[in-house]
Amino acid sequence: ISGVSGGSCGTGTRSEFRWSAALAYCEGLSWGGFDDWSLPNVVELASLIDHGQVDPPMDEAAFPATPSLQFWTSTTYQIGAQFAWSISFFDGDQGNSGKDNEFPVRGVRRP
């Protein structure tokens, strides 16, 4: 999660970004000895969701301290370029949000 670190993600303060800043943050991220991070697309971020769980809808051991908030994806909403897809880490729902909203991010490294 942007802005936090440590084994249980308990160090630091969560950061939230407008969509364009979220893209730039992930592209410029250097963490864990790697500098090839990016903002996940909607399919990648949705793959973390376990629809059998809520608040959070994911494995808490693998993804500790995940706030019940919307998280940005890199995927622009096809109906309007001023929107992008986001994923709720309360219930796992996907939705579109105006790119001027501020949400936290999770970086991804692709093989």
Side-chain angles (χ1 to χ4, degrees), residues 52-97:
Q53 296 183 195
V54 293
D55 199 18
M58 61 179 39
D59 180 350
E60 287 186 87
F63 302 100
T66 298
S68 298
L69 300 171
Q70 294 291 113
F71 278 70
W72 280 126
T73 77
S74 64
T75 309
T76 293
Y77 187 60
Q78 61 274 26
I79 305 295
Q82 71 272 31
F83 299 98
W85 286 100
S86 59
I87 305 285
S88 167
F89 280 89
F90 172 74
D91 58 12
D93 283 350
Q94 298 177 20
N96 62 75
S97 300

Side-chain angles (χ1 to χ4, degrees), residues 19-111:
W19 186 78
S20 60
L23 289 170
Y25 172 83
C26 288
E27 291 292 330
L29 185 61
S30 180
W31 186 76
F34 300 97
D35 62 2
D36 56 350
W37 296 91
S38 61
L39 189 62
N41 65 43
V42 67
V43 173
E44 291 168 327
L45 195 58
S47 73
L48 302 181
I49 302 299
D50 176 351
H51 290 284
Q53 296 183 195
V54 293
D55 199 18
M58 61 179 39
D59 180 350
E60 287 186 87
F63 302 100
T66 298
S68 298
L69 300 171
Q70 294 291 113
F71 278 70
W72 280 126
T73 77
S74 64
T75 309
T76 293
Y77 187 60
Q78 61 274 26
I79 305 295
Q82 71 272 31
F83 299 98
W85 286 100
S86 59
I87 305 285
S88 167
F89 280 89
F90 172 74
D91 58 12
D93 283 350
Q94 298 177 20
N96 62 75
S97 300
K99 291 180 177 179
D100 284 340
N101 288 315
E102 293 186 352
F103 297 138
V105 298
R106 251 182 216 287
V108 64
R109 292 184 61 239
R110 294 180 182 94

